[in-house]
């Protein structure tokens, strides 16, 4: 993975923008307009999931947009209850029909569900779906090093991305380093934490750094990710916040500021919902 010309270039040659739009909590007809506004603001990657109950409106926003389909990147995820090879392959097709799209630009296994031990089967389904043109780029989410090594050893195919929890209270630098060793781009979900649990945007240290650069706390956190070579996918339905978030990579934090933000890490206690990938299982 490299950064070139304001893009992330993945290990399979695919190109991602520097910031994407997360859509958890964006739903219904209003959600369609919020996604369209993001596209009009300059976003080019929309991250969804079956679990978000909004794949349909994401597809609708793509159809309503004046942008050519090839300029919009849609990323979604395989739920935990579909890890068996045949189920996974069929579910990918069903998800495409739900969105009304002919292909997904990026598709991830949402959680490894290690106690079931079927994530290798799921990965093989993604590999074959990519070969058949249903998916352009394949990756994983919440995978630990042993999970990554298992699927690579079994298929010879390395994920292009690994989407993990990462925010100042849980910086997950360990997984950023592990992904880098394997030339995998780390994606950050919930880069601002979650407001009802641990709203990082209200942290006094982050606010002080934001004042120093005349930026918003959100822009500071997104830039902190960008400078670490991490692709962030902040969720926002507010047009002003969407604009601020996408304009967050045009300044540079000092090494001291990055170290200060890293020092806010709370370890396992900092996870938004205590979801350790070695223990948490998703069955929806």
């Amino acid at each position: 993975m490299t950064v070139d010309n304001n893009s992330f270039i993945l290990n399979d040659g695919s190109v991602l923008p520097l910031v994407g739009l997360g859509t958890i909590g964006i739903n219904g007809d209003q959600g369609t307009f919020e996604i369209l506004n993001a596209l009009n603001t300059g976003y080019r990657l929309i991250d969804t999931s079956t679990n978000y109950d909004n794949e349909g409106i994401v597809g609708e926003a793509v159809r309503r947009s004046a942008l050519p389909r090839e300029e919009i990147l849609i990323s979604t995820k395989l739920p935990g209850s579909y890890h068996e090879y045949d189920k996974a392959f069929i579910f990918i097709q069903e998800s495409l029909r739900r969105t009304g799209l002919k292909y997904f630009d990026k598709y991830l296994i949402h959680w490894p569900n290690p106690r079931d031990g079927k994530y290798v089967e799921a990965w093989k389904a993604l590999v074959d779906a990519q070969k058949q043109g249903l998916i352009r780029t394949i990756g994983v989410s919440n995978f630990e090093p042993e999970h990554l090594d298992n699927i690579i050893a079994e298929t010879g195919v390395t994920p292009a991305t690994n989407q993990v929890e990462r925010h100042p209270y849980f910086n997950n630098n360990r997984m950023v380093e592990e992904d880098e060793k394997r030339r995998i781009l780390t994606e950050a979900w919930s880069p601002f934490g979650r407001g009802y649990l641990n709203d990082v945007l209200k942290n006094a240290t982050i606010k002080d750094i934001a004042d120093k650069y005349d930026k918003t706390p959100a822009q500071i956190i997104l830039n902190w990710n960008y400078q670490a070579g991490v692709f962030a996918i902040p969720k926002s339905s507010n047009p002003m916040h969407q604009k601020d978030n996408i304009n967050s990579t045009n300044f540079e934090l000092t090494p001291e500021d990055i170290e200060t933000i890293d020092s806010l890490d709370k370890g396992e206690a900092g996870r938004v919902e205590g979801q350790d990938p070695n223990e948490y299982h998703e069955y929806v």
Side-chain angles (χ1 to χ4, degrees):
M1 183 278 301
T2 58
V3 181
D4 181 62
N5 195 28
N6 293 321
S7 301
F8 288 109
I9 302 176
L10 307 183
N11 60 25
D12 63 359
S14 299
V15 177
L16 300 185
L18 298 182
V19 179
L21 179 75
T23 63
I24 187 170
I26 295 179
N27 303 94
D29 289 341
Q30 180 62 34
T32 303
F33 290 113
E34 291 164 358
I35 295 168
L36 278 169
N37 184 76
L39 292 170
N40 291 335
T41 301
Y43 286 84
R44 290 297 179 266
L45 185 140
I46 309 299
D47 179 85
T48 182
S49 171
T50 302
N51 297 11
Y52 303 169
D53 296 323
N54 64 7
E55 283 183 320
I57 67 164
V58 169
E60 181 66 15
V62 172
R63 287 187 290 277
R64 292 191 193 183
S65 174
L67 293 167
R69 169 65 182 96
E70 60 269 19
E71 292 187 16
I72 305 173
L73 307 179
I74 302 301
S75 177
T76 191
K77 307 173 186 76
L78 180 75
S81 57
Y82 294 90
H83 278 199
E84 294 177 18
Y85 178 91
D86 289 340
K87 287 183 177 180
F89 201 88
I90 291 172
F91 188 86
I92 293 167
Q93 299 170 49
E94 172 61 28
S95 196
L96 282 169
R97 300 300 172 264
R98 189 179 295 116
T99 59
L101 302 175
K102 293 182 178 179
Y103 63 89
F104 288 120
D105 300 274
K106 191 160 70 65
Y107 199 92
L108 314 177
I109 299 174
H110 204 169
W111 289 89
N113 285 13
R115 288 199 304 275
D116 291 347
K118 296 179 181 178
Y119 60 86
V120 172
E121 282 190 56
W123 183 243
K124 289 179 178 178
L126 265 64
V127 170
D128 287 347
Q130 183 184 39
K131 290 176 180 176
Q132 293 195 20
L134 302 180
I135 307 168
R136 298 292 172 83
T137 292
I138 56 176
V140 295
S141 182
N142 303 300
F143 271 46
E144 290 288 300
E146 60 270 28
H147 309 141
L148 295 172
D149 290 341
N150 285 341
I151 61 175
I152 294 169
E154 289 287 337
T155 65
V157 179
T158 300
T161 63
N162 184 16
Q163 188 179 117
V164 301
E165 179 176 354
R166 188 177 195 266
H167 48 78
Y169 290 161
F170 186 73
N171 64 45
N172 218 347
N173 283 339
R174 173 185 63 87
M175 276 312 305
V176 175
E177 293 173 2
E178 292 289 347
D179 288 339
E180 286 178 352
K181 290 178 185 177
R182 297 162 177 79
R183 298 182 59 246
I184 298 170
L185 173 68
T186 300
E187 303 182 47
W189 61 260
S190 287
F192 308 141
R194 290 184 184 166
Y196 61 94
L197 292 170
N198 59 353
D199 194 343
V200 181
L201 296 176
K202 296 180 179 179
N203 181 274
T205 299
I206 299 290
K207 285 184 175 181
D208 287 344
I209 296 174
D211 290 342
K212 172 182 171 181
Y213 290 91
D214 193 24
K215 301 291 183 181
T216 67
Q219 287 175 315
I220 295 301
I221 293 170
L222 295 175
N223 191 282
W224 166 73
N225 274 297
Y226 164 65
Q227 289 190 222
V230 173
F231 173 61
I233 45 172
K235 175 262 177 179
S236 179
S237 56
N238 181 296
M240 183 178 298
H241 293 166
Q242 288 180 352
K243 184 176 180 180
D244 285 343
N245 291 349
I246 202 170
N247 293 310
S248 60
T249 60
N250 55 1
F251 66 100
E252 187 171 344
L253 295 168
T254 66
E256 291 76 20
D257 289 328
I258 291 174
E259 184 176 346
T260 296
I261 296 171
D262 281 343
S263 72
L264 298 175
D265 181 73
K266 298 179 180 180
E268 289 297 311
R271 290 187 186 271
V272 290
E273 293 180 346
Q275 294 172 322
D276 180 345
N278 285 307
E279 301 294 334
Y280 177 74
H281 274 220
E282 173 198 59
Y283 289 118
V284 293

